[in-house]
């Protein structure tokens, strides 16, 4: 598989992209082993020996990052938040890139009316303000992190679809496609067996950016109060901190770490995509 | 001219499509859209009267036709919560959003253009090695989180800036112009504008840098170098001018995108703008207002995309000739 070779070429060619992959790897490990890394139940309201609420504790001792206004352990929430963020990020990325790749393949290969219709649809999707749309979506669907996935899948596919469409338009004129046609392969077989593998690395490029986008959007939506109330995410932590006046009390240990985690995941995606771009389009590396 | 008309028709098409999608989204919402209005004290007759008042008893097709014709006349219905026309409520806060957006974009682009040109000039140096990852980090930071950190430090900790709103309560102004140019307003504007600017400067910076790198390889730069001009003159007078065009287009696109993206920053700083209005309207199930605010944000986005395309077309002779 070509994309596997591309993936393997990253660490040798680009140390930044390698750092990005490494960061992802660390976050994936944290997400998988979150249950054994936490010191307290992230949702449990904690009391001390005298049955007093342990609220607003500074970091140290029993609580690595202190406790929240309602007496919950911040470090455990941060660790659990990794899982939520990665699940939303990866699901959204897979959805949007699958839609973008399939529509880009169809649009570029068949052309004509199909192409025109799909590209008009892309124009409409690009004319919809993204975050406001997800907010309105959250208004009439039940609050859940899947709203973010739906919003991203519905609105962000045109970016990858357009690039893949252009790539397919050039690929379909190549000799090896002609050869496949001569041997009697049908259009769908040509499209998904012969053309698709050649654009997969492009899809991967868009996926690595989409993960970050999804995590940022999920955090924004949770911060605005349209997220699910029963799960702990970084966005929820920030909303909780903001609403409980952690800013006024200067509890930096509460609201700074979730933001740094979001930055780390999103930057990892940027670094990987930059690495891919340079391997896929060497001319860009001036 | 033909291009202009085609592009204009395209803009109207997108606006119509988004308005239509929005109309059906709100109508197909589970439960009655009047849920926010109806409580235990409303009698069945009152409910029927309300439904008739908002035209919800008519068939869906007729409602849609009414919605479109009203929209054309600039009528977005009545807000449930404010009991006022939606247009009035939206226009009250819209100037605040425009001022915030423009202020942050101007700071972001002024900084981005200069820093981008500088980074291109210092290509391969340690400045670049440090600068690029730093810029990527600012683009990866959630805007509202950046706002929270700035708010905690500069407003609550140091007490340099007010913590929210657009004007101190109790102040009185003879005119809107006097209000928005007052020191009070500007001190409220500073933190949200800087937050947005930090987020927005990455795009013009990276764009300017890559354009500069392209332009610096062109023949007229070699020519200027052969004439013995200094590096600074070449970078600023010859290269930067030519690299600016795509950045100018990005500015127009930026206005459209930023008005929608301001939602979270306006919420953090309680800035009375259209994004915060949308969030509050959605929370309060005030659907005519949510619909109106959303349409307004969409209109700005689509119109700015249109302006960006058209100016690019007018300014760059290569594009103009190619599409003729």
């Amino acid at each position: 598989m070509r994309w596997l070779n591309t993936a393997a070429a990253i660490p040798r060619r680009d140390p930044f992209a390698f750092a990005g992959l490494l960061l992802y790897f660390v976050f994936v490990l944290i997400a998988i082993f979150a249950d054994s890394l936490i010191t307290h139940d992230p949702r449990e309201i904690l009391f001390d020996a005298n049955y007093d609420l342990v609220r607003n504790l500074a970091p140290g001792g029993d609580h690595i990052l202190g406790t929240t206004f309602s007496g919950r352990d911040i470090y455990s929430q941060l660790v659990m938040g990794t899982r939520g963020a990665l699940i939303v990020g990866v699901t959204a990325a897979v959805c949007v890139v699958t839609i973008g790749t399939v529509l880009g393949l169809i649009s570029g290969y068949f052309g004509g009316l199909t192409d025109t219709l799909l590209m008009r649809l892309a124009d409409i999707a690009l004319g919809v303000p993204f975050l406001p749309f997800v907010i309105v979506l959250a208004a009439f669907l039940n609050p859940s992190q899947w709203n973010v996935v739906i919003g991203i899948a519905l609105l962000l596919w045109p970016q990858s679809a357009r690039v893949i469409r252009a790539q397919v338009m050039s690929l379909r004129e190549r000799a090896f496609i002609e050869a496949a046609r001569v041997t009697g392969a049908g259009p769908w077989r040509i499209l998904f067996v012969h053309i698709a593998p050649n654009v997969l690395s492009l899809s991967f490029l868009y996926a690595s950016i989409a993960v970050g986008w999804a995590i940022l959007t999920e955090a924004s939506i949770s911060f605005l109060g349209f997220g699910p109330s029963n799960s702990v995410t970084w966005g929820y932590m920030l909303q909780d901190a903001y609403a409980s006046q952690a800013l006024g009390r200067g509890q930096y240990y509460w609201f700074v770490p979730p933001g740094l985690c979001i930055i780390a995941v999103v930057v990892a995606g940027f670094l990987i995509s930059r690495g891919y771009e340079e391997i896929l389009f060497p001319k860009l590396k001036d | 001219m033909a291009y202009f008309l085609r592009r204009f028709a395209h803009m109207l098409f997108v606006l119509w499509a988004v308005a239509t999608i929005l109309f059906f989204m709100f109508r197909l919402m589970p439960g009655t859209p009047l849920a926010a209005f109806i409580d235990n004290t409303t009698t069945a007759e009152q409910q029927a009267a309300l439904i008739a008042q908002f035209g919800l008893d008519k068939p869906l097709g007729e409602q849609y036709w009414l919605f479109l014709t009203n929209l054309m006349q600039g009528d977005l219905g009545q807000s449930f919560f404010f009991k006022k026309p939606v247009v009035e409520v939206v226009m009250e806060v819209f100037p605040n959003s425009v001022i915030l957006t423009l202020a942050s974009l101007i700071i972001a682009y002024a900084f981005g253009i200069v820093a981008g040109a500088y980074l291109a000039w210092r290509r391969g140096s340690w400045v670049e090695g440090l600068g690029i990852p730093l810029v990527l980090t600012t683009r990866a930071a959630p805007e509202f989180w950046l706002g929270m950190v700035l708010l905690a430090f500069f407003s609550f900790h140091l007490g340099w800036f007010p913590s929210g709103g657009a004007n101190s309560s109790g102040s009185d102004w003879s005119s809107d112009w006097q209000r928005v140019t007052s020191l009070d307003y500007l001190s409220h504007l500073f933190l949200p504008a800087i937050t947005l600017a930090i987020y927005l400067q990455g795009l013009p910076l990276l764009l300017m840098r890559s354009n500069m790198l392209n332009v610096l390889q062109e023949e007229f730069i070699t020519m200027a170098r052969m004439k013995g001009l200094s590096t600074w003159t070449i970078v600023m007078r010859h290269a930067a001018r030519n690299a600016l065009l795509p950045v100018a287009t990005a500015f127009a696109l930026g206005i459209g995108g930023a008005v929608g993206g301001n939602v979270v920053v306006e919420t953090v700083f309680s800035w009375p703008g259209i994004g915060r209005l949308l969030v509050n309207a959605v929370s309060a199930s005030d659907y005519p207002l949510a619909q109106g605010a959303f349409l307004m944000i969409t209109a700005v986005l689509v119109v700015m995309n249109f302006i960006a395309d058209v100016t690019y077309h007018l300014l760059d002779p290569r594009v103009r000739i190619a599409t003729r």
Side-chain angles (χ1 to χ4, degrees), chain B residues 280-300:
Chain B
N280 290 343
V282 169
S283 304
S285 319
D286 187 347
Y287 89 94
L289 187 58
Q291 185 174 281
F294 187 89
L295 275 178
M296 190 73 197
I297 296 172
T298 309
V300 175

Side-chain angles (χ1 to χ4, degrees), chain A residues 121-133:
Chain A
L121 216 57
D123 288 337
I124 297 172
L126 290 175
V128 178
F130 178 57
L131 200 58
F133 180 77

Side-chain angles (χ1 to χ4, degrees), chain B residues 187-231:
Chain B
S187 70
H188 281 84
L189 177 66
F190 187 80
L191 278 184
I194 287 295
T195 306
L196 273 172
I198 292 177
Y199 179 74
L200 292 170
Q201 50 77 35
L203 180 67
L205 193 154
L206 294 174
L207 210 57
M208 187 67 192
R209 176 180 163 271
S210 71
N211 292 337
M212 282 291 280
L213 290 175
N214 279 335
V215 172
L216 283 174
Q217 285 169 357
E218 287 197 24
E219 279 167 5
F220 71 90
I221 298 294
T222 322
M223 180 67 196
R225 222 169 249 149
M226 288 190 330
K227 274 167 36 187
L229 299 178
S230 74
T231 321

Side-chain angles (χ1 to χ4, degrees), chain A residues 121-280:
Chain A
L121 216 57
D123 288 337
I124 297 172
L126 290 175
V128 178
F130 178 57
L131 200 58
F133 180 77
V134 183
I135 293 172
V136 172
L137 208 62
F140 75 105
L141 298 177
N142 290 327
S144 115
Q145 61 259 58
W146 305 123
N147 294 340
V148 176
V149 176
I150 295 171
I152 287 182
L154 284 179
L155 291 190
L156 294 185
W157 60 268
Q159 279 132 8
S160 52
R162 281 184 170 177
V163 175
I164 284 170
R165 168 177 171 267
Q167 187 78 9
V168 172
M169 286 171 115
S170 114
L171 279 171
R172 74 170 175 203
E173 308 299 333
R174 303 270 177 85
F176 74 97
I177 298 302
E178 195 57 47
R181 209 171 284 140
V182 169
T183 58
W188 293 102
R189 188 178 163 79
I190 292 180
L191 201 49
F192 285 101
V193 176
H194 298 277
I195 294 183
N198 291 293
V199 297
L200 262 186
S201 37
L202 264 179
S203 310
F204 202 82
L205 172 74
Y206 277 91
S208 58
I209 304 175
V211 173
W213 259 105
I215 291 174
L216 274 176
T217 311
E218 193 279 327
S220 304
I221 291 296
S222 294
F223 175 73
L224 293 172
F226 298 115
S229 51
N230 58 347
S231 73
V232 176
T233 64
W234 293 331
Y236 160 82
M237 290 176 71
L238 291 169
Q239 193 252 340
D240 192 16
Y242 183 79
S244 340
Q245 264 116 42
L247 272 56
R249 285 190 299 270
Q251 288 171 298
Y252 295 96
Y253 52 86
W254 185 359
F255 60 83
V256 170
L260 293 181
C261 287
I262 295 174
I263 292 179
V265 177
V266 180
V267 163
F270 284 168
L271 292 176
I272 293 173
S273 68
R274 270 173 69 90
Y276 264 94
E277 243 164 33
E278 282 168 2
I279 292 168
L280 287 174

